[in-house]
Every structure is written in structure tokens, then in C-alpha cells.
Amino acid sequence: MALQVKGKFFFHLVGAGIVAGWLVMMTLLILRVQVPSRPTAAWSQETGGSAGIDAAGREWKEIFLKDKKVGYAVSLIKPVDGGYFIQEEIFLRLNLMGLGSSLYTVTQCKADRSFFLENFIFSISSGIVQFRLSGKREGNSLIIESGSGKEKRTQTVSLQKVPVIGATVPHLFKSRKLTVGETFSFPIFDPSTMSQRDMAVRVLDKEPLRINRLTYDAFRLETEVFGRVLTVWVDEDGSVLKEEGFMGLTTVKSSAARAPENLDEKGTADLYEITAVSPDRALPDPNRLSGLKIEICGLENGGLEKSVLSGGRQEYRDGRLFVRKEKLPSAAGYSVPYMDEDGRMKEFLQPEWNIESDEREIRDKAFEIVGEKRDALTAAKLLTEWVYRHLQKKPVLSLPSALETLRTGMGDCNEHATLLTAFLRAVGIPARLSIGLAYSRERFFYHAWTEAYVGEWVSMDATLNQMPADPAHIKLIEGNLEKQVEIAGIVGQLKMKILDFQYE
């Protein structure tokens, strides 16, 4: 691959780490919240759902990013025996680093009369990339299925509480009388990350709200997501009028005729560009860095784990971060597969719902790539280079799946990192995902890469064919999508000053 092309792809793929988290926020702006310290009323048959919805209804919304229209959503609710059928469709057209991209998501679910989840189907379509997940509640467990036919994968998620699903929340407000000053909460399940948390909502005020030349007498509701306040306006009948979320993301009540009109991704703000962090000065030749010292403001509001910010190649203290480039050992000190006798590497060796390291296609390709090599460090290098050379470097607006990425042969940094992590685990090398910032064109963009245990934890970036990754890779989050969306708390909030840097 020519250096000029490589540089172009570097710019087009650094920043892609924010897409998966943004998609999760898009399906419901107020999806993931922290429970406030003061007591809240729990959602139950007594506090919610008792009024019921007796007739089918459909609602439309327009979706805006930085005041530019980027899509629309339509939600359907229909009473069925013992509960409701609910469907939410989202259509998006986005500008991703100058490239127009389209996305279509569908969530269908069956809920009881209190809107608690019974079963669901969640799907994403983005060009040739397709993703589908379904689930059914059985007691205190959720049985999740992905794929179909012989390729169907099943796993069980233990439920802390019987949850509602994000698509039901706009309808849930219709079944209870809102009162200014009250706070209530309910457990919510997110199918795109298979995570569950309590959602706490505060009814703060009642005020006029003007939308499309009409004025509504609206309740203003607020909730907190990773330290960020999100706001929802609801009319007296419980219909959601407006939602304000992260990064200038807003939805507004609309109509069937108006909602699909005037979508043009060419005029929209670039999703990657608006999440970039500009330091106080340029960082020359980042690929040659051996160390980087920076001052970062805004990390304290994101609820990020201190052990991730300050661990391994990074040291974080008093708002200052030092990142060093690891020195690779001459050999890993073990032959694959890693013998996890004490079980401390179990979570980094086992498959996950989108890191399908146990699938035959993944395993066959991984062992084909490493051949007869059994030193873990050598095998890791071979796998990193293969992913770099064989994936078409193209931004993908979807949730990453290692198996789907291997089949389509394309993806951005999320897909590169997920496939490499699956390959490593398939041959018996402990591996984990990292999300953070990487430097390109005088700015830091959100990015994803991999870390593997080869006698010690070492960073590797299959998007850029780096092992170890240069010190301009700043790790903020460690883990799969359920952890990665936590980066939402600091999107657009970071300020950075470069204090010092060294070269090899």
C-alpha cells in the first residue's frame, strides 16, 4: 500500500472509534444514566402502566446534528394480548469524513402492560453490512440469539431486574401522570451493547415549547448520562416533543409528511470532525515518538476508570498524562495457546457476542495465518499485519462484529480492532479492546485498537500496522461496547495541551 494512500486512510479511519457509541446514543438519547443520590420512585404496576394505551398509534421525529437535519424516526405502538407490540425505525444520512453514509435501524419488541420487556428483535443495515440480534426473557434471564440457521449463536444474560427496552420509553410516559418535582426510575436494557442500568428521570418544570409554529405546554424532564445532563420535553398526554442529547444531537416531534424531507448529508457537520480534540500545538512526526506528556482537562467528568488511565504504558496524575512506547520482548515466554492455570486471563480468552473467536471461520483463518508459529509474540505480529493488509479501509456505520468483518473484508478502526482481538483469542492469546484518542492532522480523534498479552500487555493497531502503537495513542476505555459507550460523557468536553515529547 502506497504511503500516500496509507496516510489518507489513516485520516479516514482515526476517529471511527466514536461511531459505535454514537449509534447507541442515537437509538435513544437518554438511554444510559446514573441513578441520582436522592430517593426515586421505582417503575411498577402501581406507579406506571396502570393507565394503559388502548389504541394503536404512530409518531414521527426529525433528527438533527448541529442544527442540520440528518434523519428521522418513526415509532409504532399497538395493544396486543396482555401488553404491547412496539416498533421503532431510525433512518440516518451522515457525513463521515467527507463520505456520505446511510443507516437504517429497527427495534421491535413485545412488552407487558407496564412496558417491561418480554422479547425483542434489533437490527442494523448499513450498505452491505447487516447486524441482527434477538432476545426473549425467561424469568430473570434474557436468552440472546444472533445469526440464523446453522450459524445461530445463543447466550444467556442474567437480569438484575426485569427491564424495559429503549424503544418503549417514549410510550411509557403516556401511561402515567407527570408531576413537577417528582423523580422516578426504571431498569433499562440496551440490545446494541447488551448492558443494563437503572434510568432515573426528574420532572423539573412545566414550560411553553414552540415546535414548527405550534406552542405546547410541556413538562421538562432531565436525566444524567456519565455526568452529562440530557433533556426531554413531554406534553400533557405523555408524547415526547423534543430530546437534546450529546454532540448537538436533537430529535423533534414531526409528521409523516415532514419527517423524511430535506435530508442531505453533504451539508451536515462531519461526525468525526466534531468529536476531534485540538491540542495547543502540533505534534511533529507522531510515528517516531517514544514518549508523550500532555495535560488534559475534562476527563474527570466522564467517570473513566483510573486503573485504565494510569496503567501499563500510561501514567495519569493531577490532570497530566505520560504515555511511553512499550519495548517488545524478544519472545513472549509462552507458546500458544496460553495456559490460563489461575483463570486470570479467562475474560480475555473467551468469545463475546461480537468477538466470535470460537466460530470455525475465525479459527480456521487465524491458524492459517500463524501457520506453524507458536511463539505468541510472533503469532500476534502475523495476525496484526494480516488484518492491516487484507481489510479494505472504509468507514462502516454499524456495530462491529469480527465474523461479519471477516466476511465483508472491510471496516474502520472498530472492525480492525474487533477482528484482530477475535483472531488473537482464537489461537489462544489473551486480547482486549482499547478505545481512546489517536493523533492525525494536528488533532486527536477517537480511535479503537487492540492489546494482547505476550508475557506482558502490549498495544497493537491493526488499522495502522503498529506493534506497539505509538505514544500518540491515548487509552481512555478498555472493553467491549458496553464499556466503550462510556466515552460519551467526555465527547466534546476535552481540552489538551502538549507539555513534552521525545523521539526514538
Side-chain angles (χ1 to χ4, degrees):
M1 183 177 295
L3 290 177
Q4 182 179 2
V5 176
K6 177 182 175 181
K8 178 180 178 182
F9 281 151
F10 178 58
F11 171 65
H12 276 281
L13 291 176
V14 169
I18 198 64
V19 172
W22 192 86
L23 287 176
V24 173
M25 290 184 287
M26 186 65 258
T27 57
L28 179 64
L29 297 180
I30 55 175
L31 185 61
R32 303 169 59 82
V33 299
Q34 300 169 348
V35 181
S37 57
R38 63 179 179 273
T40 64
W43 193 267
S44 66
Q45 280 284 2
E46 287 72 35
T47 60
S50 57
I53 297 174
D54 298 325
R58 196 183 303 266
E59 294 184 344
W60 298 77
K61 298 177 184 177
E62 296 175 79
I63 302 170
F64 297 87
L65 179 63
K66 294 290 185 180
D67 299 322
K68 300 288 186 180
K69 187 172 179 180
V70 296
Y72 64 98
V74 56
S75 180
L76 166 71
I77 184 167
K78 185 189 329 182
V80 294
D81 184 33
Y84 303 103
F85 168 79
I86 297 168
Q87 176 175 289
E88 181 182 61
E89 299 172 89
I90 297 175
F91 304 81
L92 289 173
R93 290 182 185 171
L94 293 170
N95 179 2
L96 301 181
M97 294 169 292
L99 302 176
S101 300
S102 297
L103 175 75
Y104 173 57
T105 75
V106 181
T107 303
Q108 296 177 328
C109 73
K110 169 68 166 41
D112 66 17
R113 294 289 288 179
S114 292
F115 295 95
F116 290 123
L117 177 65
E118 294 185 0
N119 58 63
F120 75 89
I121 299 174
F122 173 73
S123 65
I124 293 178
S125 176
S126 176
I128 67 170
V129 178
Q130 309 291 326
F131 177 87
R132 186 180 186 275
L133 203 67
S134 63
K136 181 179 181 180
R137 180 169 63 85
E138 295 183 0
N140 292 322
S141 297
L142 198 58
I143 311 302
I144 303 291
E145 292 184 350
S146 59
S148 59
K150 295 181 179 180
E151 298 179 347
K152 183 179 293 185
R153 297 173 59 85
T154 302
Q155 69 180 95
T156 301
V157 176
S158 296
L159 296 172
Q160 301 162 4
K161 304 172 185 176
V162 178
V164 300
I165 200 169
T168 70
V169 173
H171 306 289
L172 180 149
F173 295 129
K174 299 175 184 176
S175 65
R176 64 174 294 151
K177 190 74 173 178
L178 297 177
T179 303
V180 174
E182 72 171 321
T183 301
F184 56 91
S185 68
F186 45 87
I188 190 165
F189 176 78
D190 170 22
S192 60
T193 62
M194 291 204 294
S195 58
Q196 48 191 314
R197 292 197 179 184
D198 281 341
M199 180 177 193
V201 178
R202 303 181 289 276
V203 185
L204 293 187
D205 202 356
K206 197 171 185 182
E207 60 191 25
L209 178 68
R210 190 167 178 82
I211 299 176
N212 297 329
R213 300 180 182 180
L214 295 176
T215 300
Y216 298 85
D217 195 14
F219 289 97
R220 176 163 55 86
L221 284 55
E222 284 187 356
T223 187
E224 291 182 7
V225 181
F226 311 120
R228 303 278 294 276
V229 174
L230 304 184
T231 307
V232 182
W233 286 266
V234 178
D235 69 15
E236 293 181 324
D237 295 326
S239 294
V240 175
L241 301 171
K242 184 178 180 180
E243 301 163 280
E244 288 185 351
F246 295 107
M247 303 184 328
L249 185 63
T250 304
T251 70
V252 178
K253 178 181 175 68
S254 188
S255 64
R258 184 186 182 98
E261 292 181 337
N262 303 320
L263 290 180
D264 183 5
E265 70 275 8
K266 294 181 180 179
T268 63
D270 193 300
L271 180 58
Y272 295 159
E273 294 290 327
I274 65 176
T275 63
V277 182
S278 297
D280 65 321
R281 56 174 166 151
L283 188 62
D285 203 2
N287 294 338
R288 291 184 49 246
L289 287 173
S290 60
L292 175 64
K293 187 176 183 181
I294 57 177
E295 183 176 273
I296 305 181
C297 297
L299 287 181
E300 62 279 358
N301 298 325
L304 304 180
E305 295 181 17
K306 293 182 179 179
S307 61
V308 174
L309 292 175
S310 190
R313 64 198 288 272
Q314 295 185 181
E315 181 181 347
Y316 179 73
R317 185 171 60 250
D318 299 328
R320 296 188 173 190
L321 182 71
F322 178 74
V323 188
R324 63 174 178 84
K325 186 173 184 177
E326 308 105 307
K327 291 184 179 180
L328 296 180
S330 58
Y334 73 88
S335 298
V336 294
Y338 179 81
M339 302 305 293
D340 189 28
E341 295 178 355
D342 58 6
R344 65 190 179 99
M345 292 293 177
K346 181 179 179 181
E347 67 175 301
F348 308 118
L349 286 166
Q350 62 188 11
E352 298 181 55
W353 64 274
N354 63 330
I355 304 176
E356 305 98 331
S357 54
D358 58 340
E359 284 286 347
R360 183 171 180 176
E361 285 181 59
I362 296 285
R363 291 179 56 82
D364 286 353
K365 179 55 69 175
F367 279 104
E368 175 189 323
I369 294 166
V370 301
E372 299 299 319
K373 306 296 183 183
R374 286 296 174 264
D375 175 70
L377 184 64
T378 303
K381 288 180 179 178
L382 290 171
L383 293 169
T384 301
E385 184 173 341
W386 189 94
V387 174
Y388 168 74
R389 294 190 178 281
H390 287 80
L391 285 194
Q392 180 185 352
K393 291 164 174 53
K394 181 179 179 181
V396 173
L397 197 60
S398 184
L399 299 175
S401 158
L403 187 59
E404 187 72 15
T405 299
L406 180 61
R407 290 173 175 175
T408 62
M410 68 172 62
D412 54 40
C413 65
N414 284 302
E415 282 70 32
H416 283 68
T418 301
L419 180 57
L420 176 57
T421 301
F423 276 165
L424 290 163
R425 292 182 183 182
V427 299
I429 299 175
R432 63 194 183 196
L433 292 168
S434 293
I435 296 291
L437 304 168
Y439 187 82
S440 174
R441 291 178 50 138
E442 302 184 356
R443 284 179 290 176
F444 283 88
F445 291 85
Y446 289 90
H447 191 55
W449 62 95
T450 304
E451 292 181 328
Y453 184 78
V454 290
E456 59 186 81
W457 285 103
V458 174
S459 60
M460 52 195 67
D461 188 340
T463 309
L464 307 176
N465 198 25
Q466 292 185 357
M467 180 179 176
D470 65 58
H473 286 65
I474 300 170
K475 184 168 73 167
L476 302 176
I477 300 287
E478 183 181 288
N480 211 338
L481 289 177
E482 73 280 0
K483 296 292 294 181
Q484 293 173 22
V485 293
E486 294 179 9
I487 210 170
I490 60 173
V491 170
Q493 303 296 302
L494 296 183
K495 294 183 180 180
M496 187 179 297
K497 182 178 182 181
I498 296 176
L499 301 177
D500 192 19
F501 49 87
Q502 301 87 40
Y503 291 106
E504 295 177 321

mmCIF file of all heavy atoms in Angstrom, residues 23 88 109 134 164 177 197 329 376 384 406 447 465 502:
data_model
loop_
_atom_site.group_PDB
_atom_site.id
_atom_site.type_symbol
_atom_site.label_atom_id
_atom_site.label_comp_id
_atom_site.label_asym_id
_atom_site.label_seq_id
_atom_site.Cartn_x
_atom_site.Cartn_y
_atom_site.Cartn_z
ATOM 1 N N LEU A 23 -23.968 5.439 17.790
ATOM 2 C CA LEU A 23 -25.143 4.676 17.361
ATOM 3 C C LEU A 23 -26.003 4.280 18.550
ATOM 4 O O LEU A 23 -27.228 4.326 18.485
ATOM 5 C CB LEU A 23 -24.715 3.416 16.605
ATOM 6 C CG LEU A 23 -24.176 3.617 15.200
ATOM 7 C CD1 LEU A 23 -23.719 2.288 14.633
ATOM 8 C CD2 LEU A 23 -25.221 4.238 14.308
ATOM 9 N N GLU A 88 -39.675 0.652 16.559
ATOM 10 C CA GLU A 88 -39.021 1.928 16.317
ATOM 11 C C GLU A 88 -38.063 1.781 15.137
ATOM 12 O O GLU A 88 -37.212 0.890 15.117
ATOM 13 C CB GLU A 88 -38.241 2.381 17.553
ATOM 14 C CG GLU A 88 -37.539 3.724 17.372
ATOM 15 C CD GLU A 88 -36.727 4.123 18.583
ATOM 16 O OE1 GLU A 88 -35.780 3.380 18.931
ATOM 17 O OE2 GLU A 88 -37.042 5.152 19.196
ATOM 18 N N CYS A 109 -40.350 -5.007 19.696
ATOM 19 C CA CYS A 109 -40.401 -5.715 20.975
ATOM 20 C C CYS A 109 -41.842 -5.941 21.401
ATOM 21 O O CYS A 109 -42.764 -5.244 20.974
ATOM 22 C CB CYS A 109 -39.637 -4.949 22.047
ATOM 23 S SG CYS A 109 -40.458 -3.460 22.649
ATOM 24 N N SER A 134 -31.665 -10.875 18.597
ATOM 25 C CA SER A 134 -32.992 -11.073 19.167
ATOM 26 C C SER A 134 -32.853 -11.613 20.577
ATOM 27 O O SER A 134 -31.823 -12.187 20.952
ATOM 28 C CB SER A 134 -33.830 -12.034 18.309
ATOM 29 O OG SER A 134 -33.241 -13.319 18.281
ATOM 30 N N VAL A 164 -37.110 -2.507 30.940
ATOM 31 C CA VAL A 164 -37.768 -2.022 29.736
ATOM 32 C C VAL A 164 -36.676 -1.861 28.691
ATOM 33 O O VAL A 164 -35.489 -1.859 29.003
ATOM 34 C CB VAL A 164 -38.496 -0.673 29.967
ATOM 35 C CG1 VAL A 164 -39.551 -0.800 31.036
ATOM 36 C CG2 VAL A 164 -37.512 0.430 30.320
ATOM 37 N N LYS A 177 -49.271 9.948 35.017
ATOM 38 C CA LYS A 177 -49.454 11.386 35.158
ATOM 39 C C LYS A 177 -48.168 11.983 35.718
ATOM 40 O O LYS A 177 -47.735 11.632 36.816
ATOM 41 C CB LYS A 177 -50.624 11.674 36.111
ATOM 42 C CG LYS A 177 -51.049 13.125 36.153
ATOM 43 C CD LYS A 177 -51.816 13.520 34.899
ATOM 44 C CE LYS A 177 -52.390 14.923 35.026
ATOM 45 N NZ LYS A 177 -53.092 15.351 33.804
ATOM 46 N N ARG A 197 -28.891 -0.970 33.050
ATOM 47 C CA ARG A 197 -28.676 0.004 34.111
ATOM 48 C C ARG A 197 -30.020 0.592 34.513
ATOM 49 O O ARG A 197 -31.002 0.475 33.793
ATOM 50 C CB ARG A 197 -27.764 1.145 33.648
ATOM 51 C CG ARG A 197 -26.331 0.705 33.399
ATOM 52 C CD ARG A 197 -25.414 1.881 33.353
ATOM 53 N NE ARG A 197 -24.036 1.464 33.129
ATOM 54 C CZ ARG A 197 -23.008 2.280 33.112
ATOM 55 N NH1 ARG A 197 -23.195 3.573 33.309
ATOM 56 N NH2 ARG A 197 -21.790 1.839 32.903
ATOM 57 N N PRO A 329 9.252 -7.549 24.032
ATOM 58 C CA PRO A 329 10.210 -8.591 24.433
ATOM 59 C C PRO A 329 10.714 -9.321 23.196
ATOM 60 O O PRO A 329 10.089 -9.288 22.123
ATOM 61 C CB PRO A 329 9.366 -9.496 25.335
ATOM 62 C CG PRO A 329 7.953 -9.288 24.879
ATOM 63 C CD PRO A 329 7.874 -7.849 24.449
ATOM 64 N N ALA A 376 3.905 -16.629 20.976
ATOM 65 C CA ALA A 376 2.759 -15.730 20.999
ATOM 66 C C ALA A 376 3.079 -14.377 20.373
ATOM 67 O O ALA A 376 2.234 -13.782 19.692
ATOM 68 C CB ALA A 376 2.265 -15.542 22.431
ATOM 69 N N THR A 384 -1.704 -9.220 13.268
ATOM 70 C CA THR A 384 -1.862 -7.771 13.109
ATOM 71 C C THR A 384 -1.611 -7.359 11.667
ATOM 72 O O THR A 384 -2.385 -6.587 11.084
ATOM 73 C CB THR A 384 -0.888 -7.026 14.039
ATOM 74 O OG1 THR A 384 -1.146 -7.399 15.390
ATOM 75 C CG2 THR A 384 -1.046 -5.520 13.901
ATOM 76 N N LEU A 406 -14.792 -10.299 8.836
ATOM 77 C CA LEU A 406 -14.026 -11.267 8.050
ATOM 78 C C LEU A 406 -14.716 -11.571 6.736
ATOM 79 O O LEU A 406 -14.075 -11.706 5.686
ATOM 80 C CB LEU A 406 -13.835 -12.548 8.865
ATOM 81 C CG LEU A 406 -13.048 -13.672 8.185
ATOM 82 C CD1 LEU A 406 -11.631 -13.214 7.842
ATOM 83 C CD2 LEU A 406 -13.013 -14.916 9.069
ATOM 84 N N HIS A 447 -10.555 6.688 18.546
ATOM 85 C CA HIS A 447 -9.952 5.580 17.804
ATOM 86 C C HIS A 447 -10.042 4.293 18.619
ATOM 87 O O HIS A 447 -10.180 4.329 19.853
ATOM 88 C CB HIS A 447 -8.490 5.934 17.512
ATOM 89 C CG HIS A 447 -7.812 5.013 16.547
ATOM 90 N ND1 HIS A 447 -8.297 4.741 15.291
ATOM 91 C CD2 HIS A 447 -6.651 4.313 16.660
ATOM 92 C CE1 HIS A 447 -7.474 3.920 14.664
ATOM 93 N NE2 HIS A 447 -6.474 3.637 15.477
ATOM 94 N N ASN A 465 -1.053 -0.876 11.312
ATOM 95 C CA ASN A 465 0.020 -1.860 11.324
ATOM 96 C C ASN A 465 1.133 -1.457 12.291
ATOM 97 O O ASN A 465 2.319 -1.493 11.950
ATOM 98 C CB ASN A 465 0.595 -2.078 9.921
ATOM 99 C CG ASN A 465 1.372 -3.378 9.822
ATOM 100 O OD1 ASN A 465 1.129 -4.318 10.582
ATOM 101 N ND2 ASN A 465 2.304 -3.447 8.874
ATOM 102 N N GLN A 502 9.207 13.046 23.286
ATOM 103 C CA GLN A 502 10.554 12.532 22.957
ATOM 104 C C GLN A 502 10.453 11.616 21.754
ATOM 105 O O GLN A 502 9.402 11.019 21.489
ATOM 106 C CB GLN A 502 11.156 11.769 24.135
ATOM 107 C CG GLN A 502 11.315 12.563 25.434
ATOM 108 C CD GLN A 502 10.079 12.525 26.288
ATOM 109 O OE1 GLN A 502 9.424 11.496 26.413
ATOM 110 N NE2 GLN A 502 9.725 13.663 26.894
#
